């Protein structure tokens, strides 16, 4: 793999670190465990997809789905990033990042203010998916990523919808997670300062679902939404 | 401004659209209103900062703050993106994106599944801030961005901490918001399908703050945290 460092072969449950997945700062916060990476990816709704256009960076939020070691992103066949990944192209270099903010960390010193977070950064090349079966699998994964189990409880895309939808694939090869967990890290000499310090956990999950006003009477809230 | 389209002069309460801030798809979802852009930026905790390294895109989550029409990002003076913006440099082309996911949109058709979201994308060049007063202002803004009012209730950075902190600035010149709001948009012929449809609003705000175990007894939870 391009950029692989001189580390010994990794256990298959981890992604091999590379020059660009080993941070220059706080390397102790970096992790390569596949299960951890998958859990962070599966919990997110939106990724931030970065690519280069006319030499400048572009970062767009977009839905995504995961099937094993592959991520899928979709969009209109007319959208700019997806047009750049056509089968005739050599693929599009991308960086796909997913971040969860878990808590605000309020220290006594301004300097040690932080957040507890979990993020995954994926470097690689995105390719357009043209195989009809893989496209179906990817589109189901995109719907199930929003709510697990949902793809079986909705009308699948028809021919016209499929023709309007581009699907791109990014393999999970060059991947790292980065996390901050735990409490406040103040300097020992600051502990007596008269400032409140602690964690402020952010709320997670969702509120009560709101049915479409046009919903056919008698359709109950599905089980996959009642867990909250 | 580079890339400005042939639109007439804009009201000063909006950002002038440019080639790269007018989306090719769903242009009706794009907005340039400064007040709206500010409100989306001020509600976020983390931005996704994109830049180009060795020709490839990199997208990293990071804290940010806003002072009027300027955004500030900080980091260790040893971190890679910040090293690339030194005073000797011509600045670093970046794309800074902030996204809020407000609700899951479950349609009867897989194709019309979506999310309600609000995002801001800022294109521009980031410069290192060297003026001591602007650095102070920026660092206060970064702390106050996490919790408004917090910078006045914490120990300011000392000389050593200031020396270890790089601050970069990105002006709000080439900016757009993009939003999806409202309900489910199914095809008329799908309305009778036996699938639940509606919105699933995501939870916002934070849980009860958790005091640092080493907190000096008698320090009460500050007012700026009791609003939740």
């Amino acid at each position: 793999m391009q950029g692989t460092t001189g580390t010994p072969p990794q256990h298959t449950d981890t992604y091999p670190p590379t020059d660009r997945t080993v941070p220059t700062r706080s390397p102790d916060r970096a992790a390569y465990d596949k299960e951890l990476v998958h859990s962070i990816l599966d919990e997110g709704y939106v990724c931030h997809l970065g690519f280069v256009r006319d030499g400048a960076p572009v970062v767009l939020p977009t839905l995504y789905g995961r099937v094993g070691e592959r991520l899928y992103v979709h969009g209109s066949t007319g959208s700019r990033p997806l047009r750049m990944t056509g089968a005739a192209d050599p693929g599009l270099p991308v960086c796909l990042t997913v971040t969860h903010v878990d808590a605000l960390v309020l220290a006594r010193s301004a300097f040690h203010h932080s957040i507890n977070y979990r993020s995954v950064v994926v470097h690689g090349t995105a390719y357009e998916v043209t195989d009809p079966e893989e496209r179906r699998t990817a589109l189901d994964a995109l719907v199930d990523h929003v709510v697990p189990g949902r793809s079986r409880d909705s009308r699948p895309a028809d021919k016209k919808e499929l023709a309007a939808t581009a699907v791109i694939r990014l393999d999970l090869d060059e991947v790292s997670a980065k996390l901050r967990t735990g409490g406040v890290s103040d300097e020992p000499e600051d502990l007596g300062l008269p400032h409140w310090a602690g964690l402020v956990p952010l709320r997670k999950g969702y509120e009560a679902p709101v049915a479409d006003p046009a919903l056919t009477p008698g359709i109950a809230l599905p089980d996959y939404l009642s867990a909250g």
Side-chain angles (χ1 to χ4, degrees), chain A residues 3 6-7 10 32 40 45-46 59 62 69-70 76 90 92 94 117-118 122 154 157 170 173 175 199 210 214:
Chain A
T7 49
Q10 301 291 311
Y32 305 92
I40 293 171
Y45 292 113
V46 158
V59 179
T62 188
E69 295 297 328
R70 287 185 164 168
S76 158
L92 179 70
V94 298
Y117 68 96
R118 291 164 294 144
V122 183
S154 56
L170 174 63
D173 289 326
V175 184
L199 297 181
V210 180

Side-chain angles (χ1 to χ4, degrees), chain A residues 149-226:
Chain A
R150 177 67 185 176
S151 70
R152 288 189 303 275
D153 189 22
S154 56
R155 175 179 66 70
D158 62 23
K159 275 188 186 175
K160 185 179 156 198
E161 291 167 344
L162 284 172
T165 305
V167 176
I168 68 174
R169 180 185 75 220
L170 174 63
D171 289 344
L172 294 174
D173 289 326
E174 194 171 357
V175 184
S176 60
K178 207 171 169 195
L179 307 88
R180 188 199 190 278
T181 57
V184 174
S185 310
D186 263 316
E187 304 295 332
E189 60 269 29
D190 286 339
L191 293 179
L193 291 176
H195 306 302
W196 189 90
L199 297 181
V200 184
L202 295 194
R203 299 179 79 204
K204 302 282 180 174
Y206 43 76
E207 308 283 357
V210 180
D212 181 10
L215 190 68
T216 302
I219 297 185
L221 190 69
D223 287 344
Y224 52 74
L225 283 180
S226 48

Side-chain angles (χ1 to χ4, degrees), chain A residues 5-59:
Chain A
T5 57
T7 49
Q10 301 291 311
H11 189 275
T12 55
D13 289 344
T14 62
Y15 298 104
T18 70
D19 285 347
R20 55 184 182 180
T21 65
V22 176
T24 49
R25 300 294 305 178
S26 307
D28 52 305
R29 291 186 185 170
Y32 305 92
D33 178 72
K34 288 187 178 179
E35 204 172 322
L36 174 66
V37 164
H38 293 173
S39 75
I40 293 171
L41 290 172
D42 293 352
E43 192 180 320
Y45 292 113
V46 158
C47 67
H48 282 82
L49 182 69
F51 55 97
V52 180
R53 186 168 61 207
D54 300 334
V58 179
V59 179

Side-chain angles (χ1 to χ4, degrees), chain A residues 126-169:
Chain A
Y127 297 97
E128 185 172 359
V129 178
T130 53
D131 177 71
E133 192 160 339
E134 187 178 359
R135 279 167 51 85
R136 285 272 184 200
T137 302
L139 293 174
D140 282 351
L142 275 147
V143 170
D144 286 331
H145 190 89
V146 175
V147 178
R150 177 67 185 176
S151 70
R152 288 189 303 275
D153 189 22
S154 56
R155 175 179 66 70
D158 62 23
K159 275 188 186 175
K160 185 179 156 198
E161 291 167 344
L162 284 172
T165 305
V167 176
I168 68 174
R169 180 185 75 220

